[in-house]
DNA sequence: GGATCAACCAAGCAAGCGCTAGTGTAATTC
DNA sequence: GAATTACACTAGCGCTTGCTTGGTTGATCC
């Protein structure tokens, strides 16, 4: 019985699981519900995942990997100014939060359901992502674009952005780009 | 069998429940765990609360009521300038988040576990609290202290503040007052 | 054309869940 | 001093949970 793999099939199952985890929360999502969503029986589920927790870890891992990849790509293809980079990161963050919404909502809400070992592994990924942010914020501080404690500024900005999953309506009038603009304007000590 | 009451005993039990809900999450907290924490047997628990959900609602209600009361009191005892009011609200929010931490973490993480009727009742309370914020932000906008869309600014600020529960260390070097200062400085388009 | 293997299923176990029923008891009320 | 009340107990019902077991299927490989 092979359990750990990253077959394409597993990716699909992971995405379906994310959907359910968002709707019901991790604890209320039973393996029977997961299996039904996947079109298999509950027993078969354990052919793809060692246990229920591993499904959660897979969901969060995929979302974080995507966010990291998108952020890196974005930073390579935007202008070199501190303002452009700041704005690009904000937009990338919001777009990830919306296109890959399920995985990120799960990461935000169900992080504490991970066992110690998964949490350790995944927090390294998250640290890598946050390091990108801190670099961009350092640039903005050095350029005089914003002022203050880099640690605090980074966390305030991430908080404002992550909080959007609780109120943002993708079908509303505002685009992710609008939000990024508005946020950067808010924290920038310089007329846009 | 009387069930609904707001005896002082119930307040204590509610606070103990909040503690457990933070540690384990609502779903993973069993009525047996709650009862043990309270020093009674699981059956006795249902003398004080109709069911498990009612305990959750009680926890969140108490936290929100406190936040609302503190915010109102703070607004009455601070200076009249837009900046003073903004700062006072930020500090009040952070202090509530820290002194009454358990209840607020529960409100943030377990909101969706409320049944429709409790959620309806409590969202009115929350709306009242957010209305205070929007008034303060309107003042700040009118005073030219900050710029932008009032809806977005309010949500960005609340996001930055609420996110603090995930990283703030009460035993660290920074006081809530420091945080409030830094946040207001960050979003204020005017040298402090 | 036998061997291998991933993918699935039916059946069910042991544990734990929220909650109820019925009872005991000390304090309070009339 | 009888009745009521608040609060706690014991015992357990009915159900769901995550997960295991043992076996079947169809495709692929040599």
């Amino acid at each position: 019985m092979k359990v750990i793999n990253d077959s394409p099939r597993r990716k699909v199952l992971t995405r379906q699981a994310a959907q359910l985890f968002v709707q019901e929360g991790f604890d209320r999502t039973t393996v029977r519900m997961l299996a039904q969503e996947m079109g298999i029986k509950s027993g078969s589920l354990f052919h793809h995942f060692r246990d229920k927790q591993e499904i959660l870890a897979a969901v969060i891992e995929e979302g974080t990997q995507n966010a990291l990849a998108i952020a890196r790509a974005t930073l390579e293809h935007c202008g070199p100014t501190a303002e452009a980079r700041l704005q690009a990161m904000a937009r990338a963050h919001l777009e990830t939060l919306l296109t890959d919404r399920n995985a990120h909502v799960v990461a935000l809400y169900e992080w504490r359901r991970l066992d110690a070992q998964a949490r350790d592994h995944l927090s390294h990924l998250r640290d890598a992502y946050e390091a990108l942010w801190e670099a961009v914020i350092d640039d903005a501080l050095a350029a005089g674009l914003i002022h203050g404690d880099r640690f605090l500024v980074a966390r305030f900005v991430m908080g404002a952005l992550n909080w959007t999953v609780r109120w943002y309506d993708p079908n509303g009038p505002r685009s992710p780009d609008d939000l990024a603009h508005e946020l950067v304007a808010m924290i920038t000590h310089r007329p846009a």
Side-chain angles (χ1 to χ4, degrees), chain A:
Chain A
M1 171 168 56
K2 202 175 163 197
V3 165
I4 302 176
N5 59 18
D6 31 52
S7 62
R9 171 94 188 149
R10 193 171 135 134
K11 280 221 163 162
V12 176
L13 299 182
T14 300
R15 202 154 316 185
Q16 290 174 312
Q19 165 87 17
L20 263 178
F21 287 161
V22 169
Q23 273 175 38
E24 307 289 331
F26 176 71
D27 289 323
R28 281 179 126 78
T29 304
T30 68
V31 294
R32 287 165 179 78
M33 292 164 68
L34 287 164
Q36 188 170 28
E37 184 82 5
M38 296 168 179
I40 57 180
K41 299 295 176 182
S42 71
S44 314
L45 203 154
F46 295 90
H47 174 74
H48 300 279
F49 301 93
R50 198 190 314 271
D51 54 25
K52 195 187 164 194
Q53 285 233 29
E54 197 181 81
I55 309 178
L56 177 62
V59 167
I60 296 182
E61 165 138 24
E62 213 208 313
T64 313
Q65 294 277 23
N66 283 353
L68 195 52
I70 289 174
R72 279 178 177 148
T74 300
L75 283 180
E76 282 179 11
H77 293 79
C78 74
T81 69
E83 185 161 8
R85 290 163 64 79
L86 191 59
Q87 185 127 313
M89 272 299 278
R91 198 187 52 242
H93 190 103
L94 286 166
E95 274 169 3
T96 309
L97 230 49
L98 302 175
T99 60
D100 222 4
R101 188 170 184 278
N102 287 340
H104 289 283
V105 172
V106 170
L108 292 182
Y109 278 94
E110 315 286 358
W111 182 265
R112 300 174 320 152
R113 303 287 162 263
L114 292 167
D115 56 53
Q117 147 186 1
R119 190 154 47 208
D120 184 63
H121 166 56
L122 291 171
S123 57
H124 281 87
L125 270 182
R126 203 193 48 183
D127 288 350
Y129 180 75
E130 293 193 356
L132 289 183
W133 262 104
E134 296 197 345
V136 168
I137 284 179
D138 280 346
D139 288 355
L141 284 167
L145 198 66
I146 56 179
H147 305 301
D149 181 307
R150 70 188 275 269
F151 177 88
L152 288 182
V153 170
R155 263 151 193 79
F156 285 151
V157 170
M158 300 264 303
L161 287 173
N162 284 328
W163 195 251
T164 55
V165 300
R166 295 184 78 112
W167 56 264
Y168 182 72
D169 173 15
N171 302 318
R174 298 179 179 86
S175 70
D177 202 48
D178 291 341
L179 295 197
H181 250 94
E182 188 84 23
L183 180 71
V184 171
M186 186 177 83
I187 66 172
T188 296
H189 285 228
R190 189 186 283 176

